[in-house]
Amino acid sequence: MLPTSQQRHRVVTPICGLAEIMLVRLRATATGEAIAATLTMSPANAPARSIYGGDLDPPERPSCTLARLDTHCEPGFVTLLQALDLNSDLPARPSLLPGTEER
């Protein structure tokens, strides 16, 4: 039998700067907004944020590396935004490396 009470758990998750920028750009159109909604989660008492990286895989340590950014995340970011005729210019690199935040 499964427990019936809801328990709150604290999880440390990486935040992908590239994915957050991608979400802002996606939300500029109705189609993009629908895509953005599937790529986000809304933690309690916090704004919705991406649960995926620019390559549409979850951002996890230690897989969030410059090599992944170069070969997967940036190309995925560009491909998705270009497919929707949105701004696919890559942002500056310092803002892209993931940090951690407790949710």
Side-chain angles (χ1 to χ4, degrees):
M1 179 180 277
L2 296 173
T4 57
S5 66
Q6 291 185 357
Q7 297 178 3
R8 297 193 93 175
H9 298 280
R10 205 162 220 187
V11 179
V12 177
T13 57
I15 298 171
C16 176
L18 185 63
E20 295 300 322
I21 292 166
M22 184 172 65
L23 290 176
V24 169
R25 294 180 187 179
L26 285 170
R27 290 183 176 125
T29 67
T31 300
E33 177 62 39
I35 294 168
T38 65
L39 301 176
T40 59
M41 64 176 256
S42 298
N45 302 319
R49 65 183 186 86
S50 177
I51 55 174
Y52 295 97
D55 58 358
L56 303 182
D57 282 331
E60 301 173 310
R61 293 188 185 261
S63 68
C64 288
T65 63
L66 288 175
R68 177 179 171 185
L69 183 64
D70 287 338
T71 60
H72 299 282
C73 298
E74 289 179 338
F77 173 93
V78 170
T79 300
L80 178 59
L81 294 177
Q82 282 179 344
L84 297 171
D85 292 322
L86 296 171
N87 177 2
S88 62
D89 293 341
L90 292 168
R93 281 260 171 122
S95 65
L96 302 182
L97 299 177
T100 58
E101 182 173 303
E102 285 191 35
R103 294 282 180 189

